[in-house]
Amino acid sequence: MATIDIKNLKKVYPGAEDATIKQASLEIEDKEFIVLVGPSGCGKSTLLRMIAGLEDITDGELLIDGNLMNELSPKDRDIAMVFQNYALYPHMTVFENMAFGLKLRKVPKQEIKEKVENAADILGITHLLDRRPKDMSGGQRQRVAIGRSIVRQPKVFLFDEPLSNLDAALRVQMRAEIKKLHRDLNATIVYVTHDQIEAMTMGDRIVVLKDGNVMQFDTPMNLFNNPANKFVAGFIGSPSMNFIEGEIIMESFTTFKSQDLKFSAPPDLRPCLKPYIGRRVIFGFRPEYIYDKAVEKTKRLSESMEIEVQALEPIGSETFVYFHFTGNPNHQFCFRSDSGFAYNIGDKITIGVDIQRLRFFEADTEQRIM
Amino acid sequence: MKTFYVILLFIVFFSCKSEEDKLRFSSWQSSPTEEKIVRNSLDSFSKEHPEVAYNYQPIPGNYPEKIQLMLGTGKAPDLFWLKGDTSPAYLSFDVLQSLDSLVNADPEFDPDDFLPAFKDAFKYKGKYYGFGKDFNAYVLFYNKQMFAKAGLTAPPKNWKELQAYSKLLTKDRNQDGKPDQYGFIVEPSIDMLLPFVFQNGSDLISDDNDILVNSTAFVEAVEFFLSLYNSGVATIPSDAGAGWNGDVFGRKQVAMVISGAWMIPYLKESYPDLEYGVSELPEGKHKATLAFTNAYVIPKQTKRLEAAWKMLSYMAGKDGMRIWTSSGIALPTRKSVAIENGFYNDSIFKVFMKSAEYAKLYKVNMQERWFDETNAAMQAMFYKKANPQDVLDGLAKRLENYKLK
Amino acid sequence: MTIKPKNEQKIWAYTFLAFPLLLLSIFVFFPIAFAFIVSFFDWNLLIPDKPFVGLGNYIELFKDPVFVKAIKNTVIYTLGVVPVQTFLSLFLAFIMNQKLRGRAFFRTAFYIPAITSSVVTSIIFVWIYSKPGLLNYLLSSAGVDSNIDWLTNPSTVLPAIMMLNVWTTSGYFMVSFLAGLQNIPASLYEAARIDGASQWKQFWKIMVPMVRPVTYFVVVMSLIGCFQVFDQIFVMSSGGPDNASTTMSYFVYQNSFKYFRFGFGAASAVVLALLIFTVTAVQKKYFPPEAY
């Protein structure tokens, strides 16, 4: 069993004013694939390194399989780590790289040979066993780094942005391979990335971090559909969610009013918004859920909004349409449209948002209202 | 601006040129005192011979190597000091100017005024190439207070007494197993050994060019010399943490030391309250001691022979020597000067003058390497406790290679 | 005809190279060649007659017991100093690379002997090594009875000077190693830690192999320096006692500048140069500098 319990973990570097990790509490199940994601400096790598034992824990508890790990050195935690720059020993062959940890633990030679060849087989690098790292491509090196972790058969695998140094196509391929590996190995994996698409495609659950705090810890779909706060809402999804700040007022019905836009809330949402009358809120709407009223007839949409097309980004299957509300060209938004419809810059369109996808956040706390 | 530089160039050029006409004189420099006295002598030379413009260029270190290089490259000074012990090599290379004709033409020089030992010190194949400008000799210095405390009234007169007195004067006052006062001090160097060798009737090399270092007489002298150290009645400077024996004597850690007149100004300056006496060396089978002398010499390649001779004849002449030796830094090789300056009357200096009568010169007619080979042998006997006969047999064999052709 | 840019570049390149090349030729290449030629003559600076003796000087060299001793001393010196110096400076660099308090002070303290004049340090150590000197004092206070003059005892004079040399130049090589160490990515050590390597294992399995190009440089420079050791010998022991500390370069000096025998001295210098050259060539062949 390899559960990871993180209780109120805190990390302050000596001499630093602010804590790098302020307060992290997570419960990771056995065999889960957990992704730590967030912008630069959010503390995801630090958190991973604290699990590994490469960083000291200032406060809080870390338990793996119910055992307290705070004081244990990395080699006693039964973990393995794959580094962003692979960290392969350049002066050793692939075989020796993979065998290094086992040799240190005085595993018998025959057993080492079996384990290394087995891992090499899984990763398809058997033909590379006699090569040196400098004679291999980035993808091959990454596989060796993974292989080095596999041979030790640890309880927990830790990945620190392993695909960041690879090109886009290779990244996509490796993502799938790592997912498959997770199924084959049946192990707990904690994976750090800054790429939210990578996070969404790979994780069973995702930890979104910002400035050393856990913003939300949930499944990908929940993060997408029910973000806990504005940060998560804006971080997950590409292109990111559109935000307009405004206030709730009473005008026949509960109405959202902002500089460019005014519409009354759909009936289902009115009860939730009523307590916020007179307060500032942020209205969030995803590019995926904006529809051209001239085209979309079936979905239930919000009240009409008049927009003007500012820029177009055709990506093949869709076009990203960048627009502004008529009268306010400074504030740009985005919606995704089937490429079938040809827009031109300057076109005036009437749009509506799928009423099930309207999201509101408190302006001051940024927590989601609904 | 241009004219300024042209004028500057002219000045530099001409001053260089005028430098070229000056006589160049070089000496070594063992102390600032010595340099001052040299300059004093040069000043009075200038008064006598104002027409001779000169440039005095003392060489503070590596003197023999530098002179050799200058001679070899044709840049030698017109007049320089030459040490007696290195002179055989220079004389055999025939790089010095013979002075006979110049001496004969100068009525005031009076070469017979020189004490016999030093007159012929720089004579080679019948010709004179220099004259000893001063001399020093090894005599015995002893600490009067220590002698009085031990009940001794006079310094030792022979080898037996030297040994006995040394024993008597070696004291371990604080009973820590290490004497804090030694009777005598020796050095593992050939010049310290030679007086004993001479006194036993031997030498490094005979007049017939036979190596004598492993002869019975020589070995006997070595064994006596060594026994003083090995029996614990004599120390060596490095054991006492000193650079030379004078230091140990001054610090009152030894009762007797063999040294030259350079000890006198040293003690006066550094240990003025030390009461010491000076006597001739204790005798062996013969009376003998080691004397050192240096000369003014002129290289063959000089272009200013006349001016050089003027300076040489003054500095090594009666007037120059008088000034030079009145400071006490060294002793006069001219009898007239010695008498005039009262060297025969001074209680200390008369010991040196007496010693000069039977002293043998420190001058070895072999190639330069003899010195290092011999010193290596001394070190082997002192530091490696090697058997003297074996070491000296080996040394004799090697010295065969270094005879002068 | 206009000069094409490529040729013009070449002309400028040669022009700029010409002056340093001229200097090098006059002060380095020519003296080396001249020394080589002189070694075949009986060349005394002050005697006009300089007969050609062919290999005579070389034959005399190997019959000269002092020269044979000098070779032996030089080899012992080198074999003793190079490994100790290399390992010590690597070890110091390893320590200096950790985050220790007062790191900057220690770095400076270790480096200062390297930039102090070798003559000055030699003179200071003459006193330290003397019978009533600091070393004996320290040993006595530690309970070891030691009452010898380290420089006049034939069996201790060479080790004493070797220790001085190690102390002097380790700091210099420490800096070289430090630079090499800082090129090793921290993630390598971290991977090793996770693999289960102790500090000691990290030192041997990661650091030492990765720092190999610097080790090569240090060993070569150290070898060359040791073969040429002169200053300390000249100041501290003058080759004694009984030639126990006469090294080959001291022998060259003695024979050329004290005994006036330039041909003989040049021959010994040529032998020394060949020795250095051979050793460095062997090292390059069997212990190449590439780390991986």
Side-chain angles (χ1 to χ4, degrees):
Chain A
M1 281 278 284
T3 58
I4 306 178
D5 281 300
I6 298 173
K7 295 185 179 162
N8 303 314
L9 224 53
K10 183 172 166 180
K11 171 75 186 175
V12 184
Y13 280 104
E17 272 185 28
D18 294 320
T20 311
I21 299 286
K22 297 192 172 66
Q23 231 261 41
S25 293
L26 305 165
E27 271 178 41
I28 299 172
E29 311 276 321
D30 188 26
K31 302 193 198 354
E32 261 199 296
F33 193 125
I34 299 296
V35 178
L36 307 179
V37 74
S40 286
C42 67
K44 54 193 188 296
S45 279
T46 310
L47 185 57
L48 190 79
R49 288 162 66 87
M50 284 161 83
I51 300 174
L54 295 172
E55 299 285 354
D56 291 326
I57 297 171
T58 313
D59 209 359
E61 288 180 341
L62 168 70
L63 297 108
I64 297 181
D65 236 7
N67 300 316
L68 191 64
M69 293 281 136
N70 288 38
E71 301 301 315
L72 292 182
S73 68
K75 64 176 163 82
D76 297 322
R77 296 190 186 198
D78 206 9
I79 52 113
M81 188 150 154
V82 179
F83 293 82
Q84 181 176 356
N85 64 357
Y86 327 128
L88 297 179
Y89 309 119
H91 55 289
M92 298 187 197
T93 61
V94 168
F95 186 96
E96 287 162 356
N97 261 281
M98 290 168 71
F100 190 65
L102 297 174
K103 258 178 96 175
L104 285 171
R105 278 154 224 258
K106 311 232 182 348
V107 172
K109 249 175 118 171
Q110 187 55 32
E111 208 180 311
I112 294 182
K113 192 163 179 286
E114 279 172 25
K115 290 196 166 156
V116 171
E117 283 174 358
N118 198 25
D121 192 37
I122 295 176
L123 291 163
I125 50 171
T126 314
H127 60 293
L128 297 174
L129 283 175
D130 287 324
R131 279 211 217 159
R132 294 263 148 107
K134 71 173 163 91
D135 298 325
M136 302 192 299
S137 68
Q140 289 170 326
R141 285 186 213 165
Q142 195 48 282
R143 268 180 246 251
V144 175
I146 296 174
R148 187 169 60 178
S149 314
I150 295 179
V151 292
R152 294 237 332 273
Q153 292 167 315
K155 286 210 177 99
V156 178
F157 286 89
L158 304 171
F159 289 80
D160 191 357
E161 301 205 47
L163 308 181
S164 303
N165 288 4
L166 304 176
D167 64 77
L170 198 49
R171 233 182 288 153
V172 172
Q173 183 193 338
M174 289 300 292
R175 260 192 248 153
E177 282 198 33
I178 294 177
K179 273 301 278 182
K180 180 169 180 295
L181 208 58
H182 176 230
R183 288 195 293 277
D184 292 340
L185 292 175
N186 234 343
T188 310
I189 294 184
V190 182
Y191 186 106
V192 165
T193 179
H194 63 272
D195 183 348
Q196 53 99 21
I197 296 178
E198 207 163 279
M200 295 288 280
T201 57
M202 296 179 85
D204 292 336
R205 281 197 290 168
I206 300 171
V207 181
V208 180
L209 289 150
K210 180 187 176 217
D211 292 336
N213 285 311
V214 176
M215 290 282 125
Q216 189 169 356
F217 180 30
D218 215 332
T219 63
M221 285 326 290
N222 275 345
L223 286 178
F224 187 81
N225 290 320
N226 303 315
N229 49 59
K230 177 176 179 244
F231 175 76
V232 176
F235 188 78
I236 302 289
S238 177
S240 56
M241 187 188 269
N242 299 302
F243 294 109
I244 301 179
E245 198 177 310
E247 57 175 330
I248 302 293
I249 56 169
M250 196 54 170
E251 206 180 85
S252 332
F253 305 106
T254 319
T255 303
F256 172 79
K257 177 174 180 283
S258 78
Q259 190 193 352
D260 334 289
L261 185 64
K262 189 168 81 162
F263 64 92
S264 47
D268 313 354
L269 306 177
R270 279 175 213 160
C272 295
L273 289 174
K274 211 147 178 207
Y276 288 88
I277 292 176
R279 287 171 63 177
R280 295 199 68 77
V281 298
I282 300 169
F283 167 50
F285 52 112
R286 287 201 180 277
E288 292 85 347
Y289 301 125
I290 300 174
Y291 298 94
D292 186 341
K293 282 211 167 169
V295 173
E296 182 57 50
K297 305 292 183 199
T298 53
K299 291 206 188 330
R300 284 180 66 202
L301 299 176
S302 66
E303 279 185 18
S304 299
M305 304 170 195
E306 301 304 318
I307 63 156
E308 205 173 296
V309 175
Q310 219 172 28
L312 297 163
E313 248 176 40
I315 58 162
S317 53
E318 296 176 296
T319 303
F320 293 160
V321 181
Y322 292 90
F323 63 88
H324 61 263
F325 289 98
T326 317
N328 187 7
N330 297 322
H331 202 169
Q332 195 182 65
F333 303 89
C334 174
F335 84 91
R336 295 166 80 143
S337 144
D338 292 339
S339 285
F341 298 93
Y343 295 109
N344 296 308
I345 295 180
D347 280 358
K348 287 194 169 38
I349 315 172
T350 307
I351 59 161
V353 182
D354 185 336
I355 55 167
Q356 289 190 314
R357 305 295 184 182
L358 298 171
R359 296 282 176 266
F360 287 91
F361 304 88
E362 291 181 22
D364 44 0
T365 65
E366 294 193 358
Q367 295 300 308
R368 187 162 67 94
I369 300 169
M370 37 104 354
Chain B
M1 232 15 216
K2 244 195 205 160
T3 23
F4 172 73
Y5 282 120
V6 171
I7 294 173
L8 195 64
L9 258 164
F10 261 99
I11 294 173
V12 169
F13 183 65
F14 275 110
S15 55
C16 284
K17 232 185 164 275
S18 57
E19 285 289 327
E20 275 190 28
D21 290 338
K22 285 193 183 165
L23 178 75
R24 285 174 52 224
F25 162 54
S26 282
S27 72
W28 59 76
Q29 206 185 21
S30 23
S31 69
T33 333
E34 194 182 37
E35 192 196 337
K36 217 168 54 171
I37 302 171
V38 173
R39 289 195 189 271
N40 282 345
S41 316
L42 287 170
D43 284 340
S44 34
F45 165 73
S46 279
K47 290 202 192 86
E48 275 279 322
H49 292 274
E51 76 281 7
V52 178
Y54 67 88
N55 205 345
Y56 171 45
Q57 295 161 332
I59 298 174
N62 300 101
Y63 183 82
E65 289 93 331
K66 292 219 174 95
I67 290 286
Q68 190 212 152
L69 271 173
M70 288 200 274
L71 279 168
T73 52
K75 297 265 183 337
D78 304 297
L79 184 69
F80 59 92
W81 285 359
L82 184 66
K83 258 208 165 100
D85 55 297
T86 48
S87 62
Y90 284 83
L91 291 170
S92 73
F93 296 145
D94 195 25
V95 290
L96 300 174
Q97 177 77 33
S98 77
L99 304 172
D100 292 53
S101 48
L102 292 159
V103 170
N104 293 337
D106 189 337
E108 282 188 20
F109 194 69
D110 193 7
D112 292 323
D113 188 22
F114 286 100
L115 292 166
F118 309 114
K119 178 179 174 204
D120 294 342
F122 296 88
K123 191 174 182 185
Y124 183 70
K125 293 201 171 138
K127 293 213 183 121
Y128 287 98
Y129 292 86
F131 297 93
K133 67 175 177 65
D134 55 28
F135 81 93
N136 234 307
Y138 273 158
V139 298
L140 189 74
F141 286 77
Y142 61 96
N143 187 315
K144 280 192 175 151
Q145 272 184 338
M146 288 183 194
F147 265 60
K149 263 210 190 116
L152 298 164
T153 48
K157 291 208 177 34
N158 51 48
W159 286 17
K160 207 156 163 212
E161 280 184 14
L162 177 62
Q163 191 165 35
Y165 287 27
S166 301
K167 191 148 181 224
L168 202 60
L169 291 159
T170 301
K171 298 202 175 27
D172 181 9
R173 279 185 275 266
N174 56 6
Q175 293 293 315
D176 63 347
K178 283 192 286 202
D180 19 58
Q181 179 187 301
Y182 281 92
F184 191 51
I185 181 168
V186 293
E187 272 177 42
S189 57
I190 186 63
D191 54 286
M192 278 287 156
L193 173 69
L194 277 176
F196 294 90
V197 167
F198 295 156
Q199 289 177 3
N200 213 33
S202 188
D203 200 339
L204 279 164
I205 184 169
S206 76
D207 290 332
D208 303 318
N209 239 15
D210 290 322
I211 306 282
L212 299 171
V213 294
N214 57 346
S215 63
T216 324
F218 195 100
V219 177
E220 218 175 60
V222 170
E223 283 175 343
F224 175 71
F225 191 68
L226 259 176
S227 72
L228 295 169
Y229 175 61
N230 286 335
S231 62
V233 303
T235 182
I236 53 175
S238 59
D239 277 1
W244 65 300
N245 54 18
D247 205 356
V248 187
F249 185 68
R251 287 198 242 139
K252 300 194 179 124
Q253 287 171 335
V254 67
M256 297 183 281
V257 61
I258 294 180
S259 194
W262 53 77
M263 182 74 93
I264 300 169
Y266 172 74
L267 288 174
K268 190 159 153 202
E269 206 181 293
S270 310
Y271 302 99
D273 53 326
L274 205 171
E275 281 178 48
Y276 64 92
V278 174
S279 76
E280 288 165 64
L281 287 186
E283 279 176 49
K285 294 196 185 129
H286 312 273
K287 233 177 162 185
T289 183
L290 193 61
F292 312 90
T293 185
N294 309 308
Y296 284 90
V297 294
I298 301 174
K300 253 189 173 160
Q301 55 185 249
T302 184
K303 294 193 177 61
R304 298 178 203 98
L305 183 58
E306 204 190 303
W309 171 250
K310 278 193 187 155
M311 189 179 272
L312 192 158
S313 59
Y314 181 81
M315 302 292 261
K318 298 190 180 141
D319 294 328
M321 196 179 288
R322 201 179 305 124
I323 300 170
W324 175 248
T325 56
S326 59
S327 65
I329 197 165
L331 296 132
T333 44
R334 283 178 177 275
K335 201 156 183 164
S336 62
V337 177
I339 296 173
E340 238 186 271
N341 278 7
F343 279 88
Y344 284 100
N345 299 332
D346 180 276
S347 59
I348 292 182
F349 287 122
K350 73 174 178 207
V351 176
F352 286 91
M353 300 313 298
K354 272 231 99 195
S355 300
E357 286 166 25
Y358 54 83
K360 261 185 128 169
L361 279 178
Y362 187 42
K363 182 181 159 187
V364 180
N365 273 314
M366 285 199 272
Q367 288 177 41
E368 274 302 296
R369 192 160 160 174
W370 78 264
F371 181 74
D372 284 316
E373 292 283 356
T374 321
N375 263 345
M378 298 291 292
Q379 287 165 346
M381 292 188 279
F382 269 86
Y383 299 126
K384 279 159 88 163
K385 312 283 183 218
N387 172 274
Q389 186 67 52
D390 295 334
V391 173
L392 291 168
D393 282 335
L395 179 64
K397 249 211 222 119
R398 286 210 295 281
L399 286 179
E400 288 290 333
N401 298 328
Y402 305 119
K403 286 185 179 172
L404 278 176
K405 298 169 180 97
Chain C
M1 190 176 72
T2 47
I3 304 174
K4 290 208 220 113
K6 201 164 170 211
N7 281 343
E8 196 176 312
Q9 269 197 351
K10 268 198 195 161
I11 292 174
W12 277 113
Y14 283 125
T15 313
F16 277 117
L17 277 176
F19 186 62
L21 213 58
L22 184 68
L23 279 179
L24 270 178
S25 302
I26 295 176
F27 292 107
V28 179
F29 301 136
F30 175 69
I32 293 176
F34 192 66
F36 185 68
I37 293 172
V38 166
S39 72
F40 296 110
F41 288 81
D42 181 5
W43 190 294
N44 184 319
L45 206 57
L46 301 182
I47 300 178
D49 190 27
K50 298 172 172 52
F52 178 78
V53 291
L55 290 174
N57 284 332
Y58 291 94
I59 296 172
E60 194 187 330
L61 268 179
F62 287 98
K63 285 205 208 145
D64 187 335
V66 178
F67 185 67
V68 173
K69 195 147 193 197
I71 296 181
K72 196 175 97 172
N73 287 341
T74 309
V75 169
I76 292 175
Y77 190 91
T78 308
L79 286 178
V81 170
V82 174
V84 174
Q85 206 171 65
T86 307
F87 189 75
L88 181 64
S89 41
L90 176 59
F91 185 69
L92 285 176
F94 175 69
I95 296 179
M96 286 296 107
N97 205 26
Q98 318 283 336
K99 290 182 177 47
L100 292 171
R101 299 205 20 225
R103 202 160 54 140
F105 165 75
F106 281 110
R107 260 204 283 243
T108 318
F110 288 135
Y111 191 63
I112 281 185
I115 49 175
T116 312
S117 149
S118 60
V119 173
V120 170
T121 51
S122 303
I123 294 175
I124 294 174
F125 267 78
V126 166
W127 175 77
I128 293 179
Y129 280 138
S130 67
K131 211 168 192 183
L134 188 60
L135 182 60
N136 284 338
Y137 176 74
L138 290 174
L139 286 173
S140 306
S141 354
V144 178
D145 185 38
S146 140
N147 191 27
I148 54 166
D149 184 322
W150 295 78
L151 293 176
T152 57
N153 189 318
S155 43
T156 59
V157 61
L158 205 57
I161 301 183
M162 283 159 74
M163 281 200 283
L164 169 61
N165 203 341
V166 169
W167 176 77
T168 314
T169 25
S170 290
Y172 172 75
F173 293 129
M174 173 191 83
V175 171
S176 308
F177 274 123
L178 207 55
L181 285 186
Q182 288 173 348
N183 269 335
I184 303 177
S187 54
L188 276 185
Y189 294 114
E190 289 175 348
R193 271 169 78 189
I194 291 177
D195 270 341
S198 60
Q199 282 272 57
W200 183 244
K201 281 275 181 207
Q202 284 177 48
F203 180 83
W204 280 109
K205 297 272 180 187
I206 308 290
M207 200 176 91
V208 170
M210 288 297 288
V211 98
R212 192 153 152 173
V214 183
T215 311
Y216 178 81
F217 165 77
V218 166
V219 170
V220 168
M221 297 307 286
S222 188
L223 273 175
I224 294 177
C226 283
F227 275 119
Q228 296 180 334
V229 63
F230 178 80
D231 298 19
Q232 290 90 341
I233 311 286
F234 184 79
V235 173
M236 297 175 86
S237 67
S238 300
D242 191 21
N243 294 313
S245 62
T246 299
T247 55
M248 288 172 83
S249 43
Y250 191 73
F251 184 86
V252 173
Y253 166 78
Q254 272 183 318
N255 281 277
S256 308
F257 296 99
K258 279 174 96 180
Y259 309 150
F260 307 95
R261 300 186 61 199
F262 274 88
F264 191 61
S268 58
V270 169
V271 173
L272 176 59
L274 283 175
L275 185 59
I276 297 177
F277 186 75
T278 313
V279 170
T280 338
V282 165
Q283 195 199 351
K284 181 134 212 286
K285 178 136 198 254
Y286 293 104
F287 302 99
E290 289 75 40
Y292 47 89

